[in-house]
Amino acid sequence: MAAKQPVAIGMIGCGFYAQNHLHAWADLRPEGALLSAVCDRDPVRAEAAGKRFGVPHFTDMGKMLDTVKIGLLDIATRMDTHRELAAIAAERGVAAVVQKPFAPTWEECVAIVEMARQHNAWLAVHENFRFASAMRAVKKILDQGTIGTPTWARLSWRTGFDVYRGQPYLAEEEKLVIQDVGIHILDLARYFLGEVAHVSAETQKRNPKIRAEDTATILMRHTSGAVCVVEATYAAKRQNDAFPETMLEIEGDGGSVILTKGEKVIVTTQGLSFEDQVGGPLLHWTSRPWHVSQEAVLHTNRHMFERFRDGLAADTSGEDNLKTYALVEAAYEAARTHAAVKPVQWVAKG
């Protein structure tokens, strides 16, 4: 069997969260993912990342692509830049992974997907929550039929952690908690329970210093008949804050699975219960409490790299992520109208 060819990786964005992407790509070098260039419009950040990871640095993506032959781009910039950057990649036929949220609006998300289709360019979204070790463990339990057919779930992401300190722009966003972190939890709901028939939601702004909603309570009926409650807030007031973990409980017709703080899973099946630790270990570049999110980036990058190299679509391809983004749109509309909303379905042109 011929050895698989390495892939040159180009990193777009070297800011706060992109550091996790950079470290993850560096860890994947022995597997053939070769971080080959970095780019950031801030020359200081670009140079610092280039020196730290030993690769050329740029402030212009086009110039980087002209200079270095890149196989796969990782675009980890703010969402308002994604359409422009993804278009450059698509027009050059370069594969791209785009950080979530995909874009500020449904129309822009669709435009990114259709541009990639037009140019036959591989496209995926860096939706990393479903790649976390704990979430993969829960999915395995469900897939094995341990709790039977899932019928009800609650997925909860509640914290009072000061997210605005590291990402101050969040305080000025027109849409906040649903689009920023709720999108992750909505994607997990799809991952565990399948597609959604309709969405109801209520939002709140509990922090008077920010512009948009910081709390969302969402109720969904899935096409399977299962019902799911999704909770997301940046305004929780609790001593035992679980940031940045997602708590969940899923009940089926044969048992239940509960994920608690500290990534402990409690499974009940056939009248018996057992517990297990399902989180990943600390890596040389991760630290508590961020390690839960950081190791998910490593697993996500590995998935993207392997799927691209093998010529396969990512689990969170651009087209698949439209289904998650449709839930975001439906949740905002449901909160505005106080009525259940059916998520829109994207249909490819042609």
Side-chain angles (χ1 to χ4, degrees):
M1 182 180 296
K4 294 182 178 180
Q5 293 298 310
V7 175
I9 308 295
M11 186 76 215
I12 310 299
C14 302
F16 172 72
Y17 199 78
Q19 298 304 310
N20 299 315
H21 292 236
L22 289 163
H23 281 290
W25 288 124
D27 276 12
L28 292 172
R29 189 173 188 85
E31 299 175 33
L34 310 181
L35 182 63
S36 301
V38 298
C39 178
D40 194 291
R41 62 186 180 185
D42 183 330
V44 175
R45 287 198 306 221
E47 182 179 9
K51 288 182 177 179
R52 184 169 190 178
F53 293 94
V55 297
H57 64 276
F58 301 85
T59 56
D60 180 83
M61 176 173 148
K63 185 175 181 180
M64 184 188 83
L65 294 176
D66 288 338
T67 307
V68 182
K69 186 172 178 57
I70 297 296
L72 178 63
L73 278 173
D74 184 356
I75 300 174
T77 58
R78 288 180 56 173
M79 63 179 173
D80 57 352
T81 67
H82 290 172
R83 183 176 182 178
E84 176 185 359
L85 298 176
I88 294 171
E91 290 167 354
R92 292 173 177 247
V94 178
V97 180
V98 179
Q99 175 70 311
K100 72 85 214 168
F102 207 174
T105 67
W106 168 259
E107 290 74 20
E108 289 177 80
C109 293
V110 169
I112 294 172
V113 169
E114 291 180 344
M115 175 70 78
R117 283 173 56 85
Q118 177 185 341
H119 293 278
N120 196 30
W122 192 92
L123 175 69
V125 176
H126 201 280
E127 175 48 72
N128 63 59
F129 271 38
R130 66 162 71 186
F131 293 97
S133 296
M135 300 306 156
R136 290 284 164 165
V138 170
K139 186 65 161 64
K140 184 176 180 180
I141 291 167
L142 298 181
D143 289 348
Q144 289 174 336
T146 305
I147 70 167
T149 301
T151 56
W152 181 90
R154 175 181 284 118
L155 309 179
S156 181
W157 202 93
R158 308 188 67 85
T159 186
F161 183 85
D162 185 5
V163 296
Y164 312 106
R165 182 173 59 184
Q167 298 167 287
Y169 63 88
L170 291 177
E172 299 301 323
E173 295 286 2
E174 294 183 1
K175 298 178 179 178
L176 181 55
V177 79
I178 298 178
Q179 192 168 59
D180 187 57
V181 72
I183 191 170
H184 283 307
I185 316 306
L186 292 167
D187 188 71
L188 285 175
R190 286 187 56 231
Y191 181 54
F192 294 135
L193 301 173
E195 303 309 334
V196 175
H198 58 255
V199 179
S200 301
E202 293 291 340
T203 59
Q204 299 167 281
K205 186 177 78 167
R206 297 157 72 191
N207 181 347
K209 297 180 180 179
I210 65 172
R211 184 175 183 182
E213 90 289 349
D214 57 13
T215 301
T217 306
I218 303 169
L219 175 66
M220 302 190 295
R221 178 172 286 276
H222 293 258
T223 56
S224 67
V227 170
C228 180
V229 178
V230 167
E231 302 174 345
T233 185
Y234 288 138
K237 308 293 184 184
R238 53 185 62 195
Q239 186 173 9
N240 194 25
D241 199 309
F243 178 86
E245 298 181 44
T246 302
M247 306 292 98
L248 66 79
E249 46 189 310
I250 303 174
E251 297 177 357
D253 54 17
S256 65
V257 55
I258 298 173
L259 183 66
T260 67
K261 187 176 185 294
E263 299 182 295
K264 181 176 73 173
V265 70
I266 305 169
V267 179
T268 299
T269 179
Q270 299 180 351
L272 301 174
S273 293
F274 63 88
E275 301 180 3
D276 195 13
Q277 290 294 137
V278 291
L282 283 177
L283 305 172
H284 67 93
W285 51 272
T286 65
S287 60
R288 299 184 188 278
W290 285 97
H291 68 287
V292 175
S293 177
Q294 291 171 319
E295 60 98 12
V297 171
L298 174 62
H299 299 326
T300 308
N301 286 15
R302 178 180 283 116
H303 173 82
M304 300 301 174
F305 162 64
E306 291 178 347
R307 287 299 179 88
F308 167 70
R309 186 177 58 180
D310 294 343
L312 302 172
D315 288 354
T316 54
S317 66
E319 294 179 13
D320 179 84
N321 194 255
L322 287 179
K323 297 176 183 178
T324 294
Y325 202 95
L327 299 182
V328 171
E329 294 284 282
Y332 279 117
E333 180 65 10
R336 186 184 69 83
T337 61
H338 303 290
V341 174
K342 182 179 179 180
V344 66
Q345 293 186 347
W346 171 74
V347 178
K349 290 183 178 179

